[in-house]
Amino acid sequence: MKLHNYFRSSSSFRVRIALHLKGLEFDYIPVHIARGEHRTGPFSAISADMLVPLLEDEGERFSQSMAIIEYLDETHPEPALLPHDPVGRAHVRALAESIACEIHPLNNLRVLKYLVKELKLDDEAKNAWYRHWVRDGMLAFERQLAQHPGGRFCYGDTPTLADCCLVPQIFNGRRFDCDFSGLPRTMAAFEACMELDAFQRAQPSQCPDAEA
């Protein structure tokens, strides 16, 4: 397997977590999206949407982190990242998509650049945008967690797709000094994840292209 990714990309971070949870070896291929490497050079020739992550496996190329993780879960089913029952799978997907579809699209790098370059927001306004949508989304995430039975992680006592999405969002939010107070279930799940080697190995500081 080859994983084209950027160390700070939360979408890439999700896939790294899944790969490590499943104990899968992969070649790490850095793509520096802050420098525009995803839109130029060899990567743009193999990525239709010119976004990271991109996984190459068995002669196929897969984009979009959620699709990649579900592919990994289907081709390498243990340990499972989705529950075996339809109800559990739906709940976990809803939690994951609350982050991947509701929070992240409003705050990814290309949106933040557009706010600054095209809409002429200064850094204070840009950061206020980021913090608002993260806080709003994480409050909704906490409310969802409260509707489900307790467990060490987002859904039960083993990590799932939801945890693969949660941890990168917390990491990125902390870079922008987001407020994560008053989120007991959310932060307990985060802390439980960070006790595991797979999450530690996947974090940005452990990547070969990591920068301060």
Side-chain angles (χ1 to χ4, degrees):
M1 290 186 185
K2 296 180 181 178
L3 181 66
H4 303 259
N5 76 151
Y6 178 51
F7 78 102
R8 276 205 188 109
S9 160
S10 57
S11 298
S12 299
F13 193 172
R14 296 169 196 157
V15 175
R16 295 196 304 268
I17 292 168
L19 286 163
H20 287 309
L21 282 170
K22 291 181 176 293
L24 298 173
E25 297 295 328
F26 62 96
D27 292 333
Y28 185 109
I29 303 175
V31 180
H32 202 299
I33 62 174
R35 296 176 188 158
E37 290 180 2
H38 56 309
R39 297 189 176 276
T40 60
F43 183 74
S44 64
I46 65 171
S47 173
D49 56 12
M50 290 186 283
L51 298 171
V52 292
L54 178 76
L55 182 74
E56 295 189 75
D57 185 41
E58 301 291 340
E60 297 285 346
R61 296 185 181 118
F62 305 98
S63 63
Q64 295 297 326
S65 62
M66 305 291 273
I68 292 171
I69 295 172
E70 292 217 29
Y71 165 78
L72 293 172
D73 212 38
E74 291 173 5
T75 55
H76 303 273
E78 296 299 332
L81 298 179
L82 285 165
H84 296 296
D85 63 295
V87 171
R89 287 197 299 272
H91 287 320
V92 167
R93 285 187 176 116
L95 288 165
E97 290 174 12
S98 289
I99 292 172
C101 301
E102 300 294 337
I103 302 175
H104 178 245
L106 291 167
N107 292 304
N108 66 22
L109 182 60
R110 59 182 173 169
V111 169
L112 298 182
K113 283 186 172 182
Y114 187 86
L115 292 174
V116 173
K117 291 183 178 180
E118 304 299 329
L119 301 185
K120 309 304 180 184
L121 271 64
D122 58 23
D123 279 346
E124 183 177 353
K126 177 198 71 176
N127 292 341
W129 165 283
Y130 186 103
R131 294 181 189 120
H132 169 79
W133 291 116
V134 170
R135 179 66 179 173
D136 183 75
M138 295 312 300
L139 287 169
F141 189 85
E142 179 74 18
R143 291 194 297 270
Q144 287 188 65
L145 291 180
Q147 293 180 345
H148 303 310
R152 291 190 62 219
F153 298 94
C154 288
Y155 193 86
D157 290 318
T158 58
T160 65
L161 176 63
D163 300 282
C164 292
C165 292
L166 172 64
V167 167
Q169 185 60 67
I170 299 295
F171 265 74
N172 273 1
R174 284 178 167 174
R175 288 180 54 229
F176 285 83
D177 296 322
C178 292
D179 179 9
F180 292 116
S181 64
L183 305 170
R185 288 281 299 271
T186 299
M187 297 312 296
F190 172 79
E191 295 298 338
C193 288
M194 295 312 299
E195 293 176 3
L196 301 181
D197 180 67
F199 288 85
Q200 290 289 341
R201 292 174 63 197
Q203 64 176 300
S205 64
Q206 299 303 304
C207 295
D209 57 334
E211 299 172 359

